[in-house]
Every structure is written in structure tokens, then in C-alpha cells.
Amino acid sequence: MGYPQQMNTAIIGLQWGDEGKGKLVDLLSEDHEFIVRFQGGANAGHTIVVDDKKYKLHLIPSGILRPQKKCVISNGVVVDPKILVNEIKNLPENHARIYLSDRAHVILPEHIEKENKLTHLGTTKKGIGPAYTDKVSRSGIRFCDKKWVEYFDSDIVRFLSPYICDTRLLLQEALEKKESILFEGAQATMLDIDHGTYPYVTSSNTSIGGLYTGTGIRPRDLKIIGVAKAYTTRVGAGPFPTEDTGKAGIHMQEVGQEFGTTTGRKRRCGWFDSVGVKYSSQINGIDEIALTKLDVLSGLNDLYICINYLLNGKQKTIPSNLEDLQNCIPVYTQIAGWHEDISNVKTFNDLPFNVRKYVDLLEELVKAPITYIGVGAGRDKIIKRC
Ligand code: IMP
């Protein structure tokens, strides 16, 4: 006995984060009853504008701003109680219901202190790495452990306690009742602790495997949507083969407003890397791609797409060894750009010829259908391409 077709959806980043996953989650949350964060912590972040009011979210799933939705922070997430309390307090009155896993690990003040002493990886300083380190070394503290209350003011403990529950059970029951679940990935595949550009990665499994360990459920009908920007960005240190520090990179940075939501840092920018996106698409077994921020490329005469990596003259996919990755030379194909403003276009066929050509070429290179195309910042600036 199966569930109805495509009841559940996972949104996973295919680059180094900040692909615009929050906006897609916000859009798709309308069709799902539960929205679940399953890994990472307050290192993630996005801003959502509803009725002219800006909400900055780091821990609570982006679906929260739709009334009546159920939002789950499951066991794979590491949670800073102070940040969560502030986020909940800033929500509008009719906010959705929030459930916090009793198996989620608590970020303690000492985790943040520890991380402030480590500088070389360019982390977000939210205590993520040290909290996951304690989890794996079996000395961490979870919300089900009585000890967590000793580390925080009794206000904080009293406020959060009603939200803590067994979220695995809640989600299992949702599956059985055929209630649909939207899984919101944070960070992205190239920052995955196993499959990313180690050690310049985050401390969790950001790719699809993290969904299963991070929730304790196995949704049968699951559509996996990989999200990729029409170009590439990266915050923090680490290899970035298609980085462009020249005029085009500055254009992407300025037009795309590429500043980190969590740290305010400028994001490094560069060309679309089809080698990287294909690698991430395979790891996640994606069904389709949402291509975001295509409008940012308007105004560039020529566009470049990385189609291959060469290492010592030989073609290579993403190498495991960091030095090898740093020594890879990206091979580009050049394609004509466009100057039209595409932000008001509603259908794929109404996009200018060069834009369609760019999208079609990416699709061919990555070998996955591009079904959503982001052409602007607003909730309605997404073209659905069937
Ligand atoms: P951490 O997750 O704070 O340990 O940082 C590890 C690396 O992941 C750093 O390079 C961060 O800049 C990067 N990172 C963490 N969260 C995000 C995110 O949400 N978007 C983009 N980069 C992120």
C-alpha cells in the first residue's frame, strides 16, 4: 500500500548554500501540512517579507509564516535555545505550531566560546561545529536530558518546554495519516560533512541522507527538488573553482545583493559550475531543479558556464582531495548574455531567446529538468515550467 503520489517534498541546496531555498519552501509550504528542518542550526538564515514586514529566520522552518502549518525542528538539528526563543517571540500572533525534538542537541554557551577560538574555516560562530563534535563524541546534551536546564535562565527553560516533544512519532503519525511533509534542507551539498569540500564544510549531512537520520522517518513518496542559483556563491573560506573576482563577479555580488543573512559577510561570486551541480544532483538523486536568481545575470554581455574540470590535463569530476580540487582548472563554454529585465515574465516561453538558451544548456549539462525559475525577489517571481 503506497501513499498518494508526491505527497512529500525535500528541498536541497546543490551549491554552497544561499541558493534561495527559503523562498521555494515558503511557496511550496502552502501545499504541505508539515514543514521540517532536519539538520544544521542557526548557521542557516533567510529573510521573508510578508505584508511589508521582514522576518529573519535561522532555526524555524520558512513555512512558519503561513497560518495553521506545523513546523518541526527535528532531532538532526542543533539548537541554541536563546536564538529559538527570540525567533518565536518575533513571530506574528497567528504563527504556525512549532515542535522541537527532545532528541535535538542543545548548543551550550561553551560551544560558542570554543568556536570563537577557531578561525581558519570561516564558520558562522554559532557553536554548530562544537555542538556536533560533542554529539558524536557522546558527551552532548539533548532537550530530553534534564541537565540542559542548568545552562540557561529559568525564563528560557519555561518558555521552550511546551514545544519539546518526540517529533519522530509526530512525523510518523503524519505519514500514516497521509499528511504531507515538506523537508527544508539548510546549507547545501557542497558543504556536506561527507560529500562537500572537506574540511571547508559544515558539520552535518546537508544532502538527502541527513533527512532520514535527522528525522527518524522514511517517507515513501518523496519528490526531491535541488536548488541552484543561475551562478555560484560561497561564504567563508575554501576552494571555489569558478570564482570570478573581476567585473562579472562584482555585478553578481551587487545586483544579487550577495551578503550573508546570518553573518552579513560578502559572498564570493562566480560562474555556474555544471560539474559541481551535476555531482550534487547525483548525490541527492534529485527529481528536478529549481534555478534561482536568473534575473541577476541580466546586463552581462557574455556568460560562462563551467563544463569540465581539468587536473593535470585530465578530465575530472569533483576530486576528494582538497589540493587536487584547488588545482583543478575549470573549462568554460561561452554563451551570449541578455540585457532585458526579466523580472516580470510569467512563462518560460516569454523569456528572451538567450535566457531560454542558457536554461536549456544548464539542463542538458546537469541532466535534470529545471522546473522552477526564479526571476526576482518577491513571492510571485517564480516561473513554473512543466
Ligand atoms: P558552520 O556551519 O558555522 O560551522 O560554518 C561552516 C561553513 O559553512 C562556513 O564556510 C560557513 O560560511 C558555511 N555556512 C554555514 N551555514 C551556511 C549557510 O546557511 N549558507 C551558506 N554558507 C553557510
Side-chain angles (χ1 to χ4, degrees), residues 147-164:
K147 223 174 160 199
W148 86 270
V149 305
E150 292 170 20
Y151 292 83
F152 298 93
D153 293 343
S154 56
D155 306 2
I156 286 189
V157 173
R158 217 174 304 126
F159 186 90
L160 270 195
S161 293
Y163 296 96
I164 301 170

Side-chain angles (χ1 to χ4, degrees), residues 16-19 21 42-45 115 121-130 186-188 191 199-203 233-238 262-263 265 267:
W16 278 285
D18 311 310
E19 294 93 350
K21 297 180 289 294
N43 46 352
E115 195 176 354
L121 295 177
T123 62
T124 59
K125 312 275 188 214
K126 301 288 175 192
I128 307 294
Q187 293 84 45
L191 288 171
Y200 295 98
V201 291
T202 191
S203 300
T233 62
R234 171 163 206 169
V235 230
T262 302
T263 58
R265 289 179 290 178
R267 294 177 186 142

Side-chain angles (χ1 to χ4, degrees), residues 210-378:
L211 183 157
Y212 299 99
T213 54
T215 58
I217 57 162
R218 194 299 215 182
R220 301 228 163 239
D221 296 306
L222 181 68
K223 182 199 271 189
I224 304 173
I225 305 181
V227 188
K229 253 181 219 178
Y231 48 101
T232 312
T233 62
R234 171 163 206 169
V235 230
F240 179 178
T242 64
E243 183 167 13
D244 185 296
T245 51
K247 267 191 188 163
I250 293 170
H251 169 103
M252 294 166 199
Q253 210 272 318
E254 287 176 354
V255 180
Q257 288 290 302
E258 297 294 356
F259 296 94
T261 315
T262 302
T263 58
R265 289 179 290 178
K266 257 190 194 177
R267 294 177 186 142
R268 298 154 65 193
C269 296
W271 300 110
F272 188 90
D273 182 349
S274 75
V275 180
V277 174
K278 190 172 165 196
Y279 167 83
S280 298
S281 301
Q282 289 174 344
I283 287 168
N284 294 295
I286 60 160
D287 296 296
E288 38 188 88
I289 289 185
L291 187 71
T292 59
K293 299 187 92 164
L294 189 59
D295 55 302
V296 172
L297 297 182
S298 294
L300 291 170
N301 288 334
D302 298 306
L303 304 176
Y304 295 85
I305 302 167
C306 172
I307 51 168
N308 260 323
Y309 283 3
L310 287 183
L311 180 65
N312 303 324
K314 287 199 185 128
Q315 201 175 312
K316 196 81 188 132
T317 182
I318 305 285
S320 313
N321 179 277
L322 196 74
E323 250 175 54
D324 285 348
L325 180 57
Q326 268 154 346
N327 290 332
C328 275
I329 298 169
V331 179
Y332 291 101
T333 187
Q334 186 184 342
I335 173 168
W338 60 87
H339 288 266
E340 295 92 333
D341 172 6
I342 59 169
S343 60
N344 291 316
V345 177
K346 302 275 182 242
T347 65
F348 184 72
N349 288 339
D350 287 335
L351 286 167
F353 176 76
N354 284 359
V355 183
R356 282 183 279 135
K357 215 170 141 196
Y358 185 75
V359 174
D360 286 341
L361 183 54
L362 298 191
E363 195 170 68
E364 199 184 307
L365 288 165
V366 177
K367 307 216 177 313
I370 294 175
T371 52
Y372 292 92
I373 299 166
V375 291

Side-chain angles (χ1 to χ4, degrees), residues 36-39 72-77 101 103 166-169 171-172 181 183 209-219:
V36 182
R37 267 287 306 271
F38 55 85
Q39 47 69 226
V72 176
I73 298 171
S74 65
N75 61 279
V77 181
S101 169
R103 287 176 186 256
D166 183 346
T167 57
R168 184 205 70 81
L169 193 61
L171 293 173
Q172 183 61 36
I181 307 176
F183 298 90
L211 183 157
Y212 299 99
T213 54
T215 58
I217 57 162
R218 194 299 215 182

